[in-house]
Amino acid sequence: MTVNDGTKDISYTMTGTGQDIPDPVISAKAGGVDATIEGRDITIAYADGMDASALALTLDLQDGATVTSPDPLTFDLEFAESAEVVVNYFDTDYTYTVKLSGYQNPFIARGWSDVTADYGQVPDYIKVYKIPAINGLEGEVGYVVLLLPGATMGIVGGVDNTMTVAEAVKGYDYTVYFATSSTTIPTMVNDGVVVAESNYSEPMLAQDADGNFSFEMGQRFDSQFYSFPFRKGASNNTYIPREVTDGTAWNFKSACGTFNALVWDGAVVTMNEAGSNSSYCSWMGDGSKNARAGIGVLKSGKPFLFNTQGPVTGVIDCKGQTHEDVAAELIAAGCDRAGVVEGSGTPSLVVNGKHTAINKNDPAGDCTGTSLKKLVGALAVK
């Protein structure tokens, strides 16, 4: 700095020591437990009772610091390795990575393997899991395709447009195809259009216009779908038709029905419960073994499709599973509700043109089998 005293210029040199701006996040807690902060990483140590799908984080911030996102401070780390929180401090955004240590997602914890890479390049919101021993039965292979936020559900085919899985794979632009029965007709809705419909209530997976999934007992009356209470603890398997007055209006964009419930509210469904809730009762409680296929949701509400392996001559040597075998396995992996779409030797769950569990009519597993049957429709995901 230069100052003139009236006769001459005098120069002054000014020096100072800068003060570091402190980190905007002082401390963090989740479920009352202190989290560890190292640099821009916030690590939560998993403890029994924590809900990994909805972890509420509490931050102690410096004066003047504010959270930019997310709002609320709740994170879904059930199947994600990390999430981000952004804090603004002195007009600067600081991004922190939130992690959960000491936790395994319910499928991995149960002994399933993530085999998504075996199916080529698929969107991040589609995960494929495999287990070699359903409910501890060696050689009884099962697959689950898990749908995370971002997945879009649709229906291909319908009662007026039946097709094989191979035709669906070649004719539509979806990543996942999940075949329903070729005989009994489930309710199926594609983008608001009913393409197949039963005349009784059935467990249905639905997705609304905002992308949210739900799984309820559903049936249409006139032009409106309704959800109905599940008849728990039924004493016989006689189906009693539903009354509109017992239902709640249920609005969605696309949906796929199942024949009967397999799991409801985390418990194995009995034959009486299955029959009293849906007029079609698919081998519940009879001890028969076969390949099984169905749809369900985890306790966190995330939907999944499951397909198990049945005997395939010369390819797969297994006996198949009872409904109860599969139900017990799914419950152990976190299933809350599930329904059956097929219980025979030919269910099909295809990812990127490749079967998960091999279909006895398509032993190569690439949708080229010559005996693939015509289907009422298929649930599809992109």
Side-chain angles (χ1 to χ4, degrees), residues 253-339:
K253 185 176 180 181
S254 297
C256 183
T258 66
F259 301 149
N260 55 259
L262 179 67
V263 176
W264 206 266
D265 294 343
V268 180
V269 171
T270 66
M271 177 177 280
N272 285 341
E273 289 174 335
S276 64
N277 280 279
S278 300
S279 67
Y280 182 81
C281 184
S282 176
W283 306 290
M284 292 296 296
D286 68 356
S288 63
K289 290 180 174 287
N290 222 316
R292 308 295 180 186
I295 304 166
V297 290
L298 300 180
K299 292 177 181 178
S300 60
K302 296 180 179 68
F304 64 86
L305 319 174
F306 70 86
N307 195 18
T308 73
Q309 186 66 64
V312 178
T313 303
V315 181
I316 297 293
D317 182 19
C318 67
K319 296 178 180 179
Q321 315 82 36
T322 67
H323 278 88
E324 290 77 10
D325 290 335
V326 177
E329 180 61 50
L330 293 176
I331 290 170
C335 174
D336 185 55
R337 296 180 178 182

Side-chain angles (χ1 to χ4, degrees), residues 5-318:
D5 65 358
T7 59
K8 62 181 182 298
D9 288 339
I10 301 174
S11 296
Y12 294 85
T13 299
M14 300 180 66
T15 61
T17 301
Q19 182 177 356
D20 292 336
I21 297 177
D23 287 335
V25 178
I26 300 172
S27 63
K29 286 187 176 183
V33 179
D34 288 331
T36 301
I37 302 178
E38 295 182 355
R40 295 287 182 265
D41 289 338
I42 300 175
T43 303
I44 303 164
Y46 180 74
D48 289 342
M50 282 186 175
D51 183 358
S53 68
L55 278 172
L57 191 66
T58 301
L59 298 180
D60 183 17
L61 303 176
Q62 300 284 356
D63 289 340
T66 58
V67 175
T68 301
S69 67
D71 182 20
L73 269 177
T74 303
F75 301 91
D76 185 351
L77 295 175
E78 186 177 21
F79 293 94
E81 292 184 0
S82 63
E84 291 185 346
V85 58
V86 180
V87 178
N88 186 274
Y89 191 41
F90 287 112
D91 295 325
T92 299
D93 283 340
Y94 296 82
T95 300
Y96 288 80
T97 299
V98 181
K99 301 177 181 179
L100 186 61
S101 66
Y103 169 80
Q104 287 184 318
N105 77 52
F107 288 104
I108 298 298
R110 175 63 180 170
W112 295 67
S113 300
D114 185 341
V115 294
T116 309
D118 294 348
Y119 294 85
Q121 189 171 357
V122 300
D124 291 340
Y125 48 75
I126 295 174
K127 300 294 182 184
V128 185
Y129 293 93
K130 176 184 179 181
I131 192 167
I134 293 173
N135 201 22
L137 303 171
E138 290 298 330
E140 303 300 324
V141 179
Y143 290 83
V144 157
V145 173
L146 178 70
L147 307 181
L148 301 177
T152 300
M153 169 183 170
I155 301 294
V156 298
V159 290
D160 297 324
N161 186 26
T162 60
M163 63 184 69
T164 66
V165 170
E167 291 169 338
V169 169
K170 293 178 181 178
Y172 295 86
D173 186 23
Y174 286 88
T175 303
V176 177
Y177 296 86
F178 187 55
T180 61
S181 173
S182 62
T183 52
T184 305
I185 299 175
T187 296
M188 308 186 83
V189 182
N190 184 56
D191 199 13
V193 178
V194 178
V195 298
E197 189 170 16
S198 68
N199 58 359
Y200 53 86
S201 66
E202 59 193 306
M204 294 171 56
L205 176 68
Q207 185 177 33
D208 65 20
D210 295 325
N212 302 308
F213 285 93
S214 53
F215 193 91
E216 302 286 346
M217 297 298 304
Q219 186 176 355
R220 184 171 71 149
F221 290 87
D222 296 325
S223 59
Q224 176 66 54
F225 277 94
Y226 294 84
S227 64
F228 293 91
F230 187 78
R231 291 165 174 162
K232 195 77 173 175
S235 59
N236 63 68
N237 63 3
T238 301
Y239 178 71
I240 302 173
R242 301 284 187 171
E243 298 289 341
V244 173
T245 52
D246 296 330
T248 301
W250 188 19
N251 298 309
F252 47 75
K253 185 176 180 181
S254 297
C256 183
T258 66
F259 301 149
N260 55 259
L262 179 67
V263 176
W264 206 266
D265 294 343
V268 180
V269 171
T270 66
M271 177 177 280
N272 285 341
E273 289 174 335
S276 64
N277 280 279
S278 300
S279 67
Y280 182 81
C281 184
S282 176
W283 306 290
M284 292 296 296
D286 68 356
S288 63
K289 290 180 174 287
N290 222 316
R292 308 295 180 186
I295 304 166
V297 290
L298 300 180
K299 292 177 181 178
S300 60
K302 296 180 179 68
F304 64 86
L305 319 174
F306 70 86
N307 195 18
T308 73
Q309 186 66 64
V312 178
T313 303
V315 181
I316 297 293
D317 182 19
C318 67

